[in-house]
Amino acid sequence: MGLLSSRRRRSNGSFANRVPILRWFGPGMTTAMLVAAVYFVVTGKIDFSALDSFGDSDTVVDVQPVTLQPAAERPADLIRIATFNIQTFGDKKSSTRQVEGVDVMGTIAQVISNFDLVAIQEVRGADGTPIRRLIDLLNASGGHYAATISEPIGDEHYTESYAFVWDDSRVKLVQNSAYVVHDSHQRMYREPMVASFEARLTPAA
């Protein structure tokens, strides 16, 4: 049996074992490729700095200030409330300033600045980036805005979030009051978001 085993090992010897040079082919090619890569990097023919931002999904957005509606021009004893469906308010729209002569995000910020509290619909994306960019632009322009956003709502085909944006110098969110209505029977296509606010204004005498 031992003899048979020995013969079987010899007869099943690999092609690489019968041709010794092939044993060194793989390691040799790997070494040659590494040497070539180092050469190209040192000589500047390959620039790996272009990969520094690879995988960075947070697009840099221009937050150059815009002219907002001054809060001082709003009535001291009146709160202005609005709803605003910013159609498909996602990454692309929230990262756009100038297109065909229109300052997209600047215009949205200017509209928001006319009100003390705005309920925004059709916010896309799970991380709330469009709302964060809007708040950054409003506050870079001299505002004092804050926001809260719901989780994505809808079915597997389409989801969107709701958000409340408010001028924190005139309105404040009641703590722990923001929530999405629970609809265990799925009677609503998108459950509404609810929140309570209080005015910071001093009532007129």
Side-chain angles (χ1 to χ4, degrees):
M1 184 179 253
L3 291 175
L4 290 175
S5 299
S6 177
R7 289 174 183 170
R8 187 176 295 115
R9 284 196 296 269
R10 283 198 297 270
S11 63
N12 289 338
S14 68
F15 182 72
N17 288 335
R18 293 196 296 271
V19 186
I21 193 172
L22 293 181
R23 296 180 181 179
W24 303 102
F25 182 78
M29 287 295 295
T30 301
T31 302
M33 292 176 65
L34 287 174
V35 171
V38 170
Y39 169 77
F40 284 127
V41 171
V42 170
T43 58
K45 294 183 179 180
I46 295 180
D47 183 10
F48 285 118
S49 65
L51 301 178
D52 290 345
S53 60
F54 180 77
D56 183 5
S57 60
D58 191 14
T59 307
V60 176
V61 179
D62 182 5
V63 291
Q64 287 295 320
V66 295
T67 302
L68 300 182
Q69 171 72 31
E73 294 185 6
R74 292 181 234 156
D77 58 349
L78 186 67
I79 295 295
R80 290 180 175 175
I81 300 174
T83 63
F84 192 0
N85 187 331
I86 308 177
Q87 186 179 24
T88 317
F89 189 40
D91 181 75
K92 182 177 180 180
K93 186 171 290 184
S94 67
S95 61
T96 302
R97 289 302 300 264
Q98 295 292 333
V99 57
E100 297 182 358
V102 177
D103 183 353
V104 176
M105 278 295 283
T107 301
I108 293 172
Q110 289 170 342
V111 171
I112 298 291
S113 72
N114 284 280
F115 301 93
D116 301 301
L117 172 61
V118 182
I120 296 178
Q121 303 158 46
E122 207 165 334
V123 181
R124 301 302 309 278
D127 60 356
T129 294
I131 295 298
R132 176 178 54 77
R133 290 172 177 167
L134 176 60
I135 295 299
D136 288 346
L137 178 56
L138 286 164
N139 292 340
S141 304
H144 298 87
Y145 284 82
T148 185
I149 186 170
S150 74
E151 70 272 16
I153 302 166
D155 58 22
E156 65 275 11
H157 303 294
Y158 182 90
T159 61
E160 63 182 56
S161 298
Y162 301 128
F164 288 108
V165 174
W166 65 92
D167 184 342
D168 203 46
S169 67
R170 291 169 58 88
V171 174
K172 66 177 179 179
L173 174 68
V174 175
Q175 189 174 8
N176 300 322
S177 69
Y179 65 95
V180 173
V181 174
H182 182 62
D183 179 25
S184 59
H185 298 290
Q186 298 183 343
R187 291 169 292 189
M188 295 175 282
Y189 187 66
R190 292 190 188 89
E191 301 91 326
M193 182 183 182
V194 178
S196 298
F197 295 86
E198 293 179 355
R200 295 184 185 272
L201 305 179
T202 302

